[in-house]
Amino acid sequence: MNEYKQDYQFASLLERLDLFSILRDVLRNLWAILLGAIAVAMIVNMTVRADFRNTYSTTATFVVTSKTASNYTYSNLSAASTMANSFSNILNSNLLKKKVCEDLGTDTFRATASAKVINGTNLMTLRVTADTPENTYRTIRSIMYNMNTLTQFVSADMVMEILQDPTVPTRADTSFSAASQTRRAFVLSMTALILVFMYLSYRKETVKSEKDLENQLDAKSLGMIHQENEYRSIKEWVGRKKRKLLVTDLSAKFEFVERFKKIAAHVSSQAHKIHAKVILVTSVQEHEGKSTTCANLALTLVQQGYSVLLIDGDMRRPTLNTMFLKPNDKLKASLGSVLMGQANLADAMVHDEERGLDLLLNKRNYTNSTDIVSSDYMSRLIALVREHYDFIVIDSPPMSLMADAEVLADLSDMSILVVKYDTVLAQDLNDAIDSLRDCHAHFAGCVLSQVQSLPGARRTIGGYGGYGRYGHYGRYGKYGRYGQYGHYEKAEQ
């Protein structure tokens, strides 16, 4: 039972772990990670250099023999071992240090000395380390000069003969220490910062899947739409000319179309239950895929046999005209002109014969959009068109930038909130949902838009593994940036 519980917890952790979002956040913050790692490495480098002192070493090699050994051969390993052990103790004695200081004319002994036997031989090496090459060489020479006297304290039977004289050291023992410690500090700090950003990305309270949407938001999921390629060619990519993909386009993928059919089915089902006709589509921030979702919802409802009117209620920054009108098409009158009493409704009405959709569009940017949509003209317009269509779908401005969405929600029967993957905090989304619920329109739920995934991780529609609440769509990501409307001209484009 415990093993099953652990497996379930591990599976739940993996389910919440969105690798695409984590990797993307790390890459987007790579400049901060690099700067932080460089700063730590520089601090370590300066600290090491401030405390760093070069040391220099030199060695001398001796042959240790016993006077009683025949022919003074080099086979007396025991004699060499005994000499090395005793000699090491003498090297650190006050007697030796005093003699060396007298020879060098200094008050303190500023070196270290050690003796070691070469394995399997009766050879002993004497190693001296000091702060300068001169002190190192003079110290070892002083020790060797007093060697005969020192050996008498060890054993009168031992004889030490010089096999290799010491040399003046020309290179410091730890000349590359600062560089190596700097590199290590850079790698360790960069790894630590990457882990920190990965943890922050994991803990970020944004919506990263349909399951997150229903768990973190007080709302129902109407569906999820993957991010499609926004550029048709390299030329468009270079010119940053993004396209808004519609379900009626020949390039629209099967999965893209099917997901909007699912959303339209949810919306129409709820609309029939509450006898709703006017559907508002909005979002919290700009660039969350609101207009694309609104247009494709209207087109999908048309494909299902309904008569639909699509209204561009975003008068501060209209978008639908670029999606349905060709560059050379002229709009007789904008919706704003009709609402201000400057044009007739018939002049503003556009019928897309190819798609079977009626449209009320804008080509003009109105800075007083809130006053226009809250006027009596707007309410009378909605009352007039609801008698002639099965559904009226309204594209409204983002809720965080102006009050137009709440005004239009009071004129609508149903509202839908488009949520861009891993963009807006769950708390802000819940506040927007509460505001929509306070309006006249029935809040139907949320659509998770612009979802991306790692290569090979994307699931497809079909079967029990991918549809509705019986399956799991996986976690994907597209970290959006909050946009700004800025200022626009009032003149007709």
Side-chain angles (χ1 to χ4, degrees), residues 8-19 202 208-212 215 471-476:
Y8 175 78
Q9 292 175 346
F10 181 71
S12 179
L13 174 64
L14 290 179
E15 188 178 355
R16 296 195 307 271
L17 191 65
D18 188 337
L19 294 179
Y202 171 73
K208 301 176 182 179
S209 69
E210 283 190 289
K211 192 169 184 178
D212 275 354
N215 289 339
H472 173 63
Y473 282 118
R475 283 169 163 72
Y476 313 93

Side-chain angles (χ1 to χ4, degrees), residues 353-400:
E353 187 173 351
E354 180 182 355
R355 300 182 177 93
L357 179 66
D358 287 342
L359 305 117
L360 282 175
L361 304 175
N362 281 301
K363 268 196 170 183
R364 179 179 174 181
N365 307 305
Y366 297 90
T367 56
N368 60 335
S369 59
T370 303
D371 295 333
I372 295 175
V373 297
S374 59
S375 65
D376 292 337
Y377 287 99
M378 188 67 184
S379 59
R380 290 202 296 266
L381 173 65
I382 297 298
L384 176 64
V385 296
R386 74 163 58 239
E387 302 298 329
H388 298 87
Y389 295 93
D390 296 322
F391 291 108
I392 297 98
V393 182
I394 303 176
D395 178 22
S396 81
M399 298 181 64
S400 63

Side-chain angles (χ1 to χ4, degrees), residues 400-420:
S400 63
L401 301 180
M402 55 201 69
D404 296 27
E406 286 88 340
V407 174
L408 292 171
D410 280 327
L411 300 176
S412 304
D413 303 324
M414 178 185 293
S415 62
I416 297 171
L417 184 68
V418 176
V419 178
K420 185 177 180 180

Side-chain angles (χ1 to χ4, degrees), residues 299-468:
L299 290 172
T300 306
L301 290 173
V302 170
Q303 291 176 347
Q304 293 179 355
Y306 297 105
S307 59
V308 181
L309 172 65
L310 178 59
I311 299 177
D312 193 345
D314 189 349
M315 299 187 182
R316 189 67 65 94
R317 190 176 181 179
T319 304
L320 295 181
N321 65 86
T322 61
M323 299 170 66
F324 289 94
L325 297 181
K326 297 178 181 179
N328 296 327
D329 289 346
K330 292 184 179 180
L331 191 63
K332 291 183 179 180
S334 294
L335 173 61
S337 300
V338 175
L339 297 177
M340 296 174 66
Q342 299 173 354
N344 296 323
L345 178 60
D347 294 333
M349 189 74 69
V350 176
H351 177 69
D352 191 328
E353 187 173 351
E354 180 182 355
R355 300 182 177 93
L357 179 66
D358 287 342
L359 305 117
L360 282 175
L361 304 175
N362 281 301
K363 268 196 170 183
R364 179 179 174 181
N365 307 305
Y366 297 90
T367 56
N368 60 335
S369 59
T370 303
D371 295 333
I372 295 175
V373 297
S374 59
S375 65
D376 292 337
Y377 287 99
M378 188 67 184
S379 59
R380 290 202 296 266
L381 173 65
I382 297 298
L384 176 64
V385 296
R386 74 163 58 239
E387 302 298 329
H388 298 87
Y389 295 93
D390 296 322
F391 291 108
I392 297 98
V393 182
I394 303 176
D395 178 22
S396 81
M399 298 181 64
S400 63
L401 301 180
M402 55 201 69
D404 296 27
E406 286 88 340
V407 174
L408 292 171
D410 280 327
L411 300 176
S412 304
D413 303 324
M414 178 185 293
S415 62
I416 297 171
L417 184 68
V418 176
V419 178
K420 185 177 180 180
Y421 174 85
D422 197 20
T423 302
V424 185
L425 294 176
Q427 181 179 352
D428 296 334
L429 291 170
N430 281 319
D431 290 342
I433 291 170
D434 292 338
S435 297
L436 290 174
R437 283 204 169 101
D438 291 338
C439 299
H440 173 267
H442 166 75
F443 180 69
C446 299
V447 174
L448 185 60
S449 71
Q450 300 188 35
V451 178
Q452 287 186 333
S453 65
L454 291 173
R458 181 164 172 173
R459 296 175 181 252
T460 57
I461 295 287
Y464 295 100
Y467 240 112

